[in-house]
Amino acid sequence: MRASPIQPTVDFNADGEQHGFLKLPHSHDGSAWGAVMIPVTVIRRGEGPTALLTGGNHGDEYEGPIALSRLASTLKASEVNGRVIIVPFMNYPAFRAGSRTSPIDRGNLNRSFPGKPDGTVTEKIADYFQRYLLPLADYVLDLHAGGRTLDFVPFAAIHLLPDAQQQGRCEAAMRAFGAPYSMRMLELDSVGLFDTAVEEAGKVFVSTELGGGGTATVESVAVALRGVLGFLAHAGVLAAREHGGGETSGDTARTTTLLDMPDGTCFTTSEHDGLLELCKDLGDTVKSGEVIARIYDASRTGVAPVEYRARRSGLLAARHFPGLVQIGDTVAVVADVVERGIPVATNAATSVPVTAPVSF
Ligand code: ZN
């Protein structure tokens, strides 16, 4: 296969802190010999594991870009054992447009793997991650949220994998991320996912859904920041981290609730267009058969709404975000509650204040 047209302006094997770009030539009306410049940070100190941290795989999800921008601007090589590669805005054209997919080719990066070196801009980005960055990594964390059309309870997620040992390693990393919820996730359509590419390469992989609605909140950013540090500490990449005092109290009290999405009955898909009334909030307990949503005919009055009932009991883990819904939209996701109150690893051995995002 031909080489990628993407050239990094950083040296992945050099020690120290480097901030540069993945430079993707892109000739267009506004710039004849132009390039898409995807920001990248590499922080390395000697031999050790490599963690690849990504956000902006979808361009309208913001916890990853915020947390990773902050990490990239503050993390020092002296705090690292091995290497951290940070790409906060993976699908950079989509991120700059504030849209899920790329405005250049409408490419959904997370449906474009393994990509093509001679394909669309989005396929070229996928190919570069697949063939150049993934082989460098031992641990991969891909930060997502719901974007403009979905909202989630904040969770870190893994998939059920054929290799039980690999799944166990992913599960341990998920718990180290320490989101309020931890999910064994079912993908309705796993073809083309970055997740699948990373898992098939045998890496330790954790993804997240940390909120949604096309913005980030104080809480969802704090979850992302804590999670990134917990993940890096678990990977053995963080050597030690200086921190201001006072913010680490409460470490021992933090727990996560383990959720599971075992099959398609978790999903409620709209079969109508109209005005959406969700009858449960995120995190609420749901009983099988209970009305979870009503959809009103938005074209007239005097018509009873269509009721949507939960097909299983559990917890409302995701919901449609906008007030109007269209046929085919995911209205709600109800997940099984497997176990509550699982303590989150606080990595005392590395003195990393994983609950202290304000001490960066
Ligand atoms: Zn996403």
Side-chain angles (χ1 to χ4, degrees):
M1 191 179 281
R2 71 172 64 196
S4 172
I6 294 179
Q7 292 294 325
T9 67
V10 292
D11 177 354
F12 290 108
N13 295 314
D15 276 353
E17 300 118 26
Q18 299 172 78
H19 307 284
F21 300 94
L22 307 174
K23 182 181 173 189
L24 193 176
H26 176 49
S27 177
H28 57 102
D29 287 348
S31 186
W33 287 6
V36 174
M37 303 290 276
I38 304 167
V40 61
T41 287
V42 185
I43 300 171
R44 182 181 185 272
R45 186 170 69 101
E47 298 301 318
T50 292
L52 172 62
L53 310 177
T54 53
N57 185 334
H58 294 125
D60 61 349
E61 305 171 358
Y62 295 100
E63 288 80 2
I66 293 169
L68 296 183
S69 293
R70 188 141 145 194
L71 184 72
S73 67
T74 56
L75 188 65
K76 301 295 176 210
S78 59
E79 300 172 296
V80 168
N81 280 326
R83 179 169 55 184
V84 184
I85 301 171
I86 305 169
V87 186
F89 330 113
M90 218 177 160
N91 192 348
Y92 191 61
F95 171 76
R96 288 304 296 261
S99 58
R100 182 173 178 83
T101 62
S102 174
I104 297 173
D105 52 30
R106 302 316 329 169
N108 179 342
L109 181 57
N110 216 29
R111 300 293 184 277
S112 300
F113 280 82
K116 292 178 196 162
D118 53 357
T120 63
V121 164
T122 304
E123 287 169 338
K124 287 171 180 168
I125 295 171
D127 170 67
Y128 188 79
F129 275 84
Q130 176 83 41
R131 290 195 297 140
Y132 294 81
L133 293 184
L134 275 190
L136 302 178
D138 304 292
Y139 292 81
V140 181
L141 174 65
D142 188 31
L143 296 161
H144 287 256
R148 287 191 289 193
T149 65
L150 290 174
D151 198 9
F152 287 88
V153 294
F155 65 78
I158 60 152
H159 296 111
L160 295 178
L161 301 175
D163 179 343
Q165 202 182 16
Q166 185 188 8
Q167 185 180 323
R169 288 187 292 137
C170 294
E171 205 149 335
M174 171 175 72
R175 293 189 186 198
F177 186 95
Y181 297 90
S182 300
M183 177 78 85
R184 290 188 191 127
M185 196 154 58
L186 172 75
E187 294 291 347
L188 289 178
D189 177 16
S190 65
V191 175
L193 292 179
F194 183 46
D195 312 47
T196 309
V198 181
E199 288 159 356
E200 286 180 352
K203 314 296 183 180
V204 175
F205 180 68
V206 175
S207 68
T208 70
E209 299 289 358
L210 296 176
T215 190
T217 66
V218 173
E219 186 201 348
S220 65
V221 170
V223 170
L225 288 165
R226 283 196 304 256
V228 166
L229 291 180
F231 182 86
L232 287 177
H234 175 78
V237 176
L238 274 189
R241 192 167 181 90
E242 290 188 11
H243 56 93
E247 292 103 346
T248 55
S249 60
D251 274 21
T252 51
R254 226 152 49 78
T255 61
T256 186
T257 297
L258 183 61
L259 304 175
D260 191 8
M261 286 164 58
D263 59 46
T265 63
C266 296
F267 295 87
T268 298
T269 303
S270 180
E271 298 180 3
H272 300 84
D273 294 341
L275 169 65
L276 176 65
E277 177 194 2
L278 253 292
C279 304
K280 295 284 179 181
D281 281 325
L282 288 176
D284 282 356
T285 297
V286 174
K287 292 197 179 69
S288 181
E290 217 179 345
V291 175
I292 51 171
R294 299 186 182 97
I295 299 179
Y296 296 83
D297 185 334
S299 64
R300 65 197 66 252
T301 55
V303 179
V306 180
E307 291 182 337
Y308 282 78
R309 294 174 185 274
R311 292 193 287 160
R312 67 184 313 117
S313 297
L315 175 145
L316 188 70
R319 57 157 290 173
H320 185 69
F321 187 77
L324 297 179
V325 68
Q326 308 219 330
I327 185 167
D329 288 348
T330 292
V331 170
V333 179
V334 175
D336 278 353
V337 178
V338 179
E339 189 180 349
R340 293 184 187 270
I342 302 168
V344 169
T346 51
N347 298 289
T350 57
S351 73
V352 175
V354 295
T355 60
V358 291
S359 68
F360 262 71

